[in-house]
Amino acid sequence: MTAPTAIGANDAASVDAGSECTPRVVVIGGGFGGLYAARRLARGPVEVTVLDSTGVHLFQPLLYQCATGMLSEGQITAPLRALFKRHRNVATVLAKAVDVDAQARIVHALRSDGTALQVPYEHLVVAAGVQQSYFGHEEYAPHAPGMKSIDDALTVRRRVLAAFEMAESLPTAEQRRPWLTFALVGAGPTGVELAGQIRELAGHTLREQFRTIDPEEAHVLLYDGGDAPLASFGPELSRRAACTLEGLGVELHLKTKVTGVDATGLEVEHEDGSTSRVQARTVLWTAGVAAAPLAAALARSTGAEQERDGRLRVQPDLSLAGHPEIHVVGDLMSLSGLPGVAEVAMQGGWYAGGEVLHAVAGRSTGKPFRYRDLGSAAYVSRGHAIVSAGPLKLSGRLGWWGWGLIHIAFLTGYRNRAGALLTWLSTLASGTRRELVFPAHDVDTGRAAFTGSASTR
Ligand SMILES: Cc1cc2nc3c(=O)[nH]c(=O)nc-3n(C[C@H](O)[C@H](O)[C@H](O)COP(=O)(O)OP(=O)(O)OC[C@H]3O[C@@H](n4cnc5c(N)ncnc54)[C@H](O)[C@@H]3O)c2cc1C
């Protein structure tokens, strides 16, 4: 094993080498929380190291469009290095934080080749987000990819498009049916958005491209244990979303629990306790999230309390109890029931960055974090989206315009904004999608295609 190396103030990997008197702030995670914390810190007399295991900022709200061939990976991501190129006091490091020694104030991390790295800090902002949760059934994961990363999106894109290809090559309707059945678990925004996009793909984009199958025949089944899709948007918008989904041909299975997933389908338990099996060669999981594993390490090191899903309980100023030098922001924090949405992460990151700058200046604001709820939006299908912002409730085409404006406004980088806008307009005008290429191997499992024996079928 290689001995760990440290990034110190004089290390070539850090910016402003030699500035030993400048306080060092480490930000773990370059998602919404980490990005906004680092942007605020970039304006102050501190040396910032942003540690991220992917090296990119990902705009998760548009992942499903990447998964269904609308947008490219490059249009919904931005390299952190490029985002901070003008901020000489911000360095980015591609590494995964695995532990925090809160006594010694050192983050222990792994580089991409598995070698160890130590990063000392005086202030730490942790914004490592959450990951997909299978509620203790990790065995579902290889059969039902989630939707949290670019790898997930490419895996989903491959599975969905390859399923149509498989169906095209099979001789009987009975053999084709499981390949043309797409089951989604979880009717929150991601499940609804994905279900709508798969139906659109089948009904618009792929129309006339196949000779044996009619992609329009694809069955899209959306399962949820609750009694409404997009329940967090309230009963009226949820009802309108359900009508739009049904109009699109998405089959809603509410009050239905998924109790098993394997390579050929899923087991479900209905409201009355009866169970059934559904043959579906594509199962996608958007049902739950749990804290990134780093949260447990941080809890051990600081004594911080965790929720059942692993999120860390923070003080009103987003710091960990007894550790004013450690702030936790975004999806990973738990405070007063705040939701795991981008706005909470952005506002929390900005606030935490400000708190660090005040501490460095020897001042304390004493002001707790206050979240300003700007509302939420979800895309249902072409021409239909819902937006809820205070008393404003939009759906249908008006909601769709609202959704588009919000996403363009928040997408990171001018090029990505312009690129996404042009792609949407050309998709609208032509009904085609540009990003229908998919990797030959399964991005998640690494399993290669075409590994069977040609003589068996
Ligand atoms: C598919 C999808 C759709 C969504 N749609 C919406 C929406 O429409 N509106 C909305 O408001 N919210 C939406 N959300 C939620 C929103 O994206 C999150 O609330 C937000 O991304 C949280 O920001 P964060 O910074 O806490 O975490 P993230 O954005 O998840 O960022 C975490 C970062 O930490 C890095 N990381 C993780 N662990 C480590 C480690 N150990 N070491 C180093 N780096 C690490 C990751 O690589 C990542 O870059 C959606 C989420 C998903 C998954």
Side-chain angles (χ1 to χ4, degrees):
M1 191 175 138
T2 319
T5 51
I7 292 187
N10 294 319
D11 193 290
S14 71
V15 262
D16 283 345
S19 51
E20 280 174 6
C21 299
T22 311
R24 174 177 295 274
V25 188
V26 173
V27 177
I28 302 178
F32 287 106
L35 181 68
Y36 275 71
R39 278 182 174 165
R40 180 115 192 229
L41 289 162
R43 302 164 172 216
V46 288
E47 220 176 81
V48 186
T49 303
V50 180
L51 210 70
D52 193 285
S53 47
T54 63
V56 296
H57 170 75
L58 168 64
F59 192 82
Q60 290 178 0
L62 288 175
L63 259 181
Y64 72 96
Q65 293 208 358
C66 176
T68 50
M70 178 90 82
L71 297 177
S72 72
E73 307 91 280
Q75 285 173 317
I76 61 165
T77 53
L80 290 166
R81 203 167 284 297
L83 290 175
F84 290 109
K85 73 177 176 191
R86 292 207 176 81
H87 299 286
R88 304 302 302 169
N89 64 333
V90 182
T92 57
V93 178
L94 176 67
K96 179 173 183 160
V98 288
D99 204 355
V100 175
D101 183 339
Q103 281 334 101
R105 298 195 179 184
I106 289 174
V107 175
H108 292 272
L110 294 175
R111 296 188 185 87
S112 57
D113 70 350
T115 53
L117 178 73
Q118 292 182 351
V119 194
Y121 64 84
E122 274 139 72
H123 292 270
L124 177 65
V125 179
V126 185
V130 289
Q131 58 186 29
Q132 209 73 61
S133 163
Y134 291 84
F135 306 121
H137 289 281
E138 291 314 307
E139 71 277 13
Y140 299 171
H143 309 298
M147 186 53 76
K148 286 297 293 176
S149 63
I150 284 291
D151 282 9
D152 291 338
L154 293 180
T155 297
V156 170
R157 190 193 286 177
R158 176 181 190 273
R159 294 207 185 174
V160 170
L161 294 174
F164 285 104
E165 296 293 343
M166 274 298 299
E168 173 78 348
S169 72
L170 289 167
T172 67
E174 196 188 332
Q175 285 170 306
R176 292 195 286 263
R177 193 179 165 91
W179 289 101
L180 290 177
T181 303
F182 301 86
L184 293 102
V185 188
T190 307
V192 165
E193 287 167 335
L194 259 180
Q197 288 291 304
I198 296 173
R199 277 300 308 164
E200 274 188 21
L201 199 61
H204 288 274
T205 317
L206 301 181
R207 198 172 48 194
E208 295 177 9
Q209 293 189 11
F210 290 83
R211 300 294 169 260
T212 311
I213 59 163
D214 177 2
E216 173 70 8
E217 286 171 13
H219 295 272
V220 179
L221 320 174
L222 183 56
Y223 291 94
D224 199 287
D227 58 5
L230 297 175
S232 61
F233 284 80
E236 183 48 30
L237 287 181
S238 166
R239 189 188 60 75
R240 289 190 219 168
C243 292
T244 307
L245 286 170
E246 278 165 358
L248 258 182
V250 174
E251 298 167 35
L252 277 174
H253 296 272
L254 301 169
K255 298 183 185 169
T256 308
K257 279 192 211 144
V258 171
T259 52
V261 182
D262 57 36
T264 58
L266 62 168
E267 307 282 337
V268 295
E269 186 185 309
H270 305 279
E271 195 184 1
D272 62 5
S274 64
T275 59
S276 57
R277 178 165 177 86
V278 182
Q279 296 297 115
R281 298 300 297 239
T282 310
V283 181
L284 308 177
W285 189 271
T286 65
V289 291
L294 181 66
L298 197 54
R300 270 195 307 275
S301 178
T302 59
E305 286 181 55
Q306 289 183 277
E307 302 293 350
R308 275 182 61 192
D309 61 9
R311 286 175 308 134
L312 292 157
R313 285 196 196 143
V314 294
Q315 303 296 297
D317 68 353
L318 309 190
S319 68
L320 292 180
H323 288 273
E325 78 286 5
I326 303 179
H327 288 83
V328 180
V329 302
D331 285 3
L332 194 61
M333 73 170 195
S334 164
L335 177 71
S336 318
L338 287 177
V341 294
E343 263 302 327
V344 172
M346 291 190 270
Q347 293 179 29
W350 190 257
Y351 168 90
E355 287 298 287
V356 171
L357 293 181
H358 284 301
V360 164
R363 299 188 302 260
S364 165
T365 61
K367 282 190 191 157
F369 172 61
R370 292 239 181 280
Y371 172 56
R372 278 185 57 224
D373 186 355
L374 301 180
S376 43
Y379 184 104
V380 186
S381 73
R382 200 181 162 95
H384 294 273
I386 58 175
V387 174
S388 168
L392 186 70
K393 309 273 179 225
L394 301 177
S395 62
R397 201 160 283 274
L398 218 52
W400 190 58
W401 283 110
W403 174 93
L405 285 175
I406 293 168
H407 283 72
I408 285 294
F410 284 103
L411 190 55
T412 313
Y414 292 107
R415 276 196 187 178
N416 284 357
R417 281 181 213 151
L421 192 59
L422 283 176
T423 306
W424 287 340
L425 292 175
S426 87
T427 304
L428 263 184
S430 65
T432 58
R433 293 178 189 223
R434 272 177 49 93
E435 308 296 334
L436 296 177
V437 172
F438 54 89
H441 67 281
D442 202 317
V443 178
D444 258 7
T445 62
R447 203 177 59 214
F450 316 119
T451 48
S453 150
S455 60
T456 55
R457 291 200 181 157

